[in-house]
C-alpha cells in the first residue's frame, strides 16, 4: 500500500493518534522493528482518508443544483502552493556546516521562515551525500505536515517542480494550483542557484533554463526568496564601487521578477550561514559535549543537549591529527554532523563579500 503525496494532514493526524500510542508516541522509523506498525499506520491512514472522502462526496453538489450557482461557487478557485528548495552540501567538509541548508529548510517547512501559510507545500531537495539520519527531518515534515517530498537529480527537475501546478477537484469544483512562495537554500554563483555545487551533476537554475518554467505559475502576490550567494549579482568581480556595477538588472533575481511578475528577495553578496545552526559562542561547549559522549557511539545519533544532536556521518571531516590537536580530529568533531533539533535558529544573512555592495537582502520588482 503506497499512499499518494502530498499526504492529507487530517488523515495523518488520525493515523498517528491510532498507532503511535502503541509505541510510546515515538515517531516511526524505516527500521525493521517498526515494519508492523508502519503497515498498521498505512491502513489507519487509508481508512481515515476514505472516511473523509466519503463525507466530502455527501456534501458535493447534486445533479439538480442550479448551474448558475455552481458557476458562481466555483469561480476564482486557487490553491496556493509553496516550494522549499534544499541543495546538497559538499563544499565544506565540516561538522558545523553539513546541515546548513536542511536546517533553514526544516524551519521554513514548519512555518517559521519567510514563507506564508499555503494550501500545500513541496520540499524539493538534492539527495547527494546526505546520510539517513540527516534526511530524517524531511521525513518528519512529511509525516507531521503532509508536505510532498521531491528529489532533484537534474536541472530539469527544478523546472518540473515549479511547473507542477495542476488543476485539482475541491468540493466538486475545479481549482487551479498556483505557486505562492518559493525559497532556495543552497550554494550560488553570480546569477546561478547551484543546488549541487561541487557535485558531479549540475542541478542549477540560471538565466537560460529559467525560460523552461511557465510564466503564469505564480499567484499575483507571489514571491521568491533566494538564500543562495549572489543571485542578484551578474558580475564575478570581487570589488565594487557601487551596487549598479554588479549589474543587478541583468541578474537571475531580476529575470525571475520580470518573468513571473513577482517580488524576488535575493543577495547581491555571498550569503552567510554561520549563525543558522548555532551561536558561534556555543561552539566550544558543543565540542566538549561531543568529545565526552562520542566514545563507543560513533555510529549512533548522540543527544548533546536540549537543543543539539550529533548525527553520524562516516568520512565527514576526517582531517587533522587528534594527538597534535589539529583539524577536525583534534577538535573531536570528525565523523559527525551538527543538528539543531528545532531547525535553524535564524535565516541566513548577507556576507561582506564581494566588497562594496549593499549587505542586505534586496527586493527585485518586475
Amino acid at each position: 500500500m503506497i499512499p499518494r503525496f502530498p499526504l492529507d494532514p487530517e488523515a495523518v493526524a488520525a493515523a498517528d493518534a491510532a498507532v503511535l500510542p502503541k509505541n510510546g508516541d515515538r515517531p516511526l522509523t524505516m527500521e525493521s522493528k517498526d515494519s508492523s506498525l508502519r503497515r498498521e499506520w498505512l491502513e489507519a491512514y487509508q481508512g481515515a482518508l476514505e472516511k473523509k472522502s466519503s463525507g466530502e462526496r455527501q456534501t458535493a453538489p447534486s445533479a439538480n443544483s442550479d448551474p448558475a450557482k455552481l458557476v458562481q461557487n466555483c469561480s476564482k478557485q486557487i490553491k496556493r502552493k509553496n516550494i522549499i528548495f534544499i541543495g546538497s552540501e559538499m563544499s565544506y567538509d565540516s561538522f558545523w556546516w553539513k546541515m546548513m541548508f536542511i536546517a533553514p529548510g526544516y524551519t521554513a517547512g514548519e512555518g517559521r521562515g519567510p514563507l506564508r501559510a499555503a494550501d500545500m507545500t513541496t520540499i524539493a531537495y538534492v539527495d547527494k551525500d546526505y546520510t539517513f539520519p540527516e534526511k530524517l527531518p524531511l521525513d518528519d515534515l512529511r509525516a507531521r505536515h503532509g508536505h510532498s517530498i521531491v528529489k532533484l537529480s537534474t536541472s530539469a527537475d527544478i523546472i518540473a517542480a515549479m511547473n507542477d501546478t495542476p488543476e485539482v477537484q475541491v468540493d466538486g469544483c475545479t481549482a487551479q494550483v498556483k505557486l505562492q512562495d518559493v525559497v532556495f537554500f543552497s550554494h550560488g554563483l553570480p546569477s546561478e542557484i547551484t543546488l549541487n555545487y561541487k557535485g558531479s551533476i549540475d542541478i542549477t537554475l540560471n538565466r537560460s533554463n529559467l525560460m523552461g518554467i511557465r510564466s503564469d505559475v505564480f499567484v499575483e502576490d507571489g514571491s521568491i526568496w533566494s538564500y543562495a550567494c549572489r543571485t542578484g549579482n551578474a558580475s564575478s568581480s570581487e570589488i565594487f564601487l557601487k551596487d549598479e556595477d554588479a549589474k543587478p538588472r541583468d541578474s537571475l533575481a531580476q529575470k525571475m521578477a520580470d518573468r513571473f511578475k513577482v517580488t524576488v528577495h535575493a543577495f547581491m553578496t555571498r550569503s552567510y550561514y554561520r549563525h543558522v545552526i548555532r551561536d558561534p559562542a556555543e561552539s566550544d561547549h558543543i565540542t566538549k559535549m561531543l568529545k565526552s559522549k562520542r566514545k563507543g557511539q560513533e555510529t549512533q545519533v548522540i543527544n548533546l543537549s536540549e537543543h543539539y544532536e550529533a548525527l553520524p556521518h562516516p568520512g565527514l571531516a576526517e582531517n587533522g591529527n587528534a594527538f597534535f590537536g589539529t583539524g577536525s580530529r583534534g577538535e573531536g568533531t570528525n565523523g559527525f554532523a551538527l543538528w539543531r533539533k528545532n531547525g535553524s535558529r535564524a535565516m541566513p544573512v548577507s556576507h561582506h563579500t564581494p566588497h562594496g555592495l549593499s549587505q542586505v537582502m534586496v527586493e527585485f520588482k518586475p
Side-chain angles (χ1 to χ4, degrees), residues 232-235 237-249 268-269 354-359 362:
N233 184 337
S235 170
S237 177
E238 288 296 320
I239 299 177
F240 298 92
L241 297 178
K242 56 185 182 301
D243 287 350
E244 289 74 16
D245 294 341
K247 304 177 182 178
R249 296 306 164 196
M268 297 177 66
T269 63
H355 298 285
L357 298 176
S358 296
Q359 296 178 40
V362 180

Side-chain angles (χ1 to χ4, degrees), residues 15 89 164 301 304:
E89 171 27 45
D164 185 21
V301 175
L304 298 177

Side-chain angles (χ1 to χ4, degrees), residues 263-283:
T263 298
V264 177
H265 309 260
F267 297 126
M268 297 177 66
T269 63
R270 290 180 174 86
S271 45
Y272 193 52
Y273 279 76
R274 189 183 182 199
H275 297 80
V276 165
I277 296 179
R278 97 286 188 192
D279 181 345
E282 297 182 279
S283 299

Side-chain angles (χ1 to χ4, degrees), residues 183-196:
V183 62
F184 293 88
F185 298 106
S186 77
H187 287 291
L189 297 170
S191 292
E192 290 186 42
I193 298 175
T194 54
L195 283 98
N196 195 35

Side-chain angles (χ1 to χ4, degrees), residues 30-293:
M30 296 305 295
E31 297 178 11
S32 58
K33 66 180 181 180
D34 287 341
S35 60
S36 61
L37 285 177
R38 286 200 304 272
R39 285 193 295 271
E40 189 174 342
W41 189 95
L42 287 171
E43 292 172 359
Y45 173 83
Q46 191 64 32
L49 195 63
E50 291 172 358
K51 183 177 180 180
K52 179 180 177 181
S53 298
S54 176
E56 289 177 348
R57 286 195 295 270
Q58 292 174 7
T59 59
S62 68
N64 296 324
S65 298
D66 184 347
K69 291 183 179 179
L70 286 179
V71 172
Q72 180 179 0
N73 291 338
C74 289
S75 62
K76 298 183 180 179
Q77 290 260 8
I78 296 292
K79 284 292 183 180
R80 292 177 172 239
K81 175 180 178 179
N82 289 344
I83 304 180
I84 301 168
F85 284 100
I86 298 173
S88 64
E89 171 27 45
M90 293 181 284
S91 180
Y92 301 109
D93 185 24
S94 171
F95 165 79
W96 305 103
W97 298 96
K98 186 62 187 180
M99 300 295 284
M100 61 188 281
F101 299 137
I102 291 182
Y106 180 88
T107 296
E110 287 271 57
R112 293 181 284 114
L115 310 187
R116 296 164 289 180
D119 298 299
M120 59 191 72
T121 297
T122 291
I123 299 174
Y125 80 104
V126 178
D127 186 19
K128 301 292 184 183
D129 202 37
Y130 286 123
T131 64
F132 176 75
E134 290 165 356
K135 293 182 284 189
L136 284 177
L138 305 183
D139 287 335
D140 178 60
L141 291 174
R142 174 181 53 78
R144 291 193 300 107
H145 297 288
H147 295 342
S148 176
I149 308 296
V150 174
K151 293 181 181 179
L152 303 173
S153 300
T154 67
S155 298
D157 292 338
I158 304 172
I159 297 170
M162 293 189 68
N163 279 335
D164 185 21
T165 54
E167 290 185 346
V168 296
Q169 293 297 311
V170 181
D171 296 332
C173 297
T174 299
Q176 179 67 56
V177 174
K178 291 273 191 180
L179 298 184
Q180 174 183 259
D181 299 324
V182 173
V183 62
F184 293 88
F185 298 106
S186 77
H187 287 291
L189 297 170
S191 292
E192 290 186 42
I193 298 175
T194 54
L195 283 98
N196 195 35
Y197 183 62
K198 291 194 175 179
S200 59
I201 298 173
D202 284 338
I203 306 177
T204 301
L205 182 64
N206 56 34
R207 288 170 293 190
S208 297
N209 61 14
L210 174 67
M211 304 307 292
I213 304 171
R214 298 197 322 273
S215 60
D216 63 346
V217 292
F218 279 87
V219 295
E220 289 185 3
D221 61 340
S223 66
I224 297 174
W225 300 76
S226 175
Y227 290 95
C229 294
R230 298 179 285 180
T231 306
N233 184 337
S235 170
S236 59
S237 177
E238 288 296 320
I239 299 177
F240 298 92
L241 297 178
K242 56 185 182 301
D243 287 350
E244 289 74 16
D245 294 341
K247 304 177 182 178
R249 296 306 164 196
D250 194 36
S251 70
L252 175 62
Q254 186 62 56
K255 299 302 181 184
M256 290 192 294
D258 292 340
R259 180 158 183 79
F260 305 124
K261 301 298 185 287
V262 298
T263 298
V264 177
H265 309 260
F267 297 126
M268 297 177 66
T269 63
R270 290 180 174 86
S271 45
Y272 193 52
Y273 279 76
R274 189 183 182 199
H275 297 80
V276 165
I277 296 179
R278 97 286 188 192
D279 181 345
E282 297 182 279
S283 299
D284 288 344
H285 180 58
I286 293 171
T287 300
K288 290 176 182 177
M289 288 190 294
L290 178 56
K291 280 185 175 180
S292 69
K293 297 183 178 184

Side-chain angles (χ1 to χ4, degrees), residues 295-346:
K295 187 175 181 179
Q297 299 190 75
E298 276 77 7
T299 62
Q300 303 175 35
V301 175
I302 300 176
N303 183 44
L304 298 177
S305 69
E306 177 185 359
H307 299 294
Y308 296 106
E309 291 176 331
L311 309 180
H313 189 125
L316 181 67
E318 292 292 351
N319 57 73
N321 185 287
F323 180 79
F324 290 106
T326 61
S328 297
R329 291 194 183 100
E331 187 181 55
T333 58
N334 56 304
F336 286 92
L338 179 65
W339 173 246
R340 187 173 183 272
K341 298 176 183 178
N342 202 31
S344 64
R345 56 186 293 274

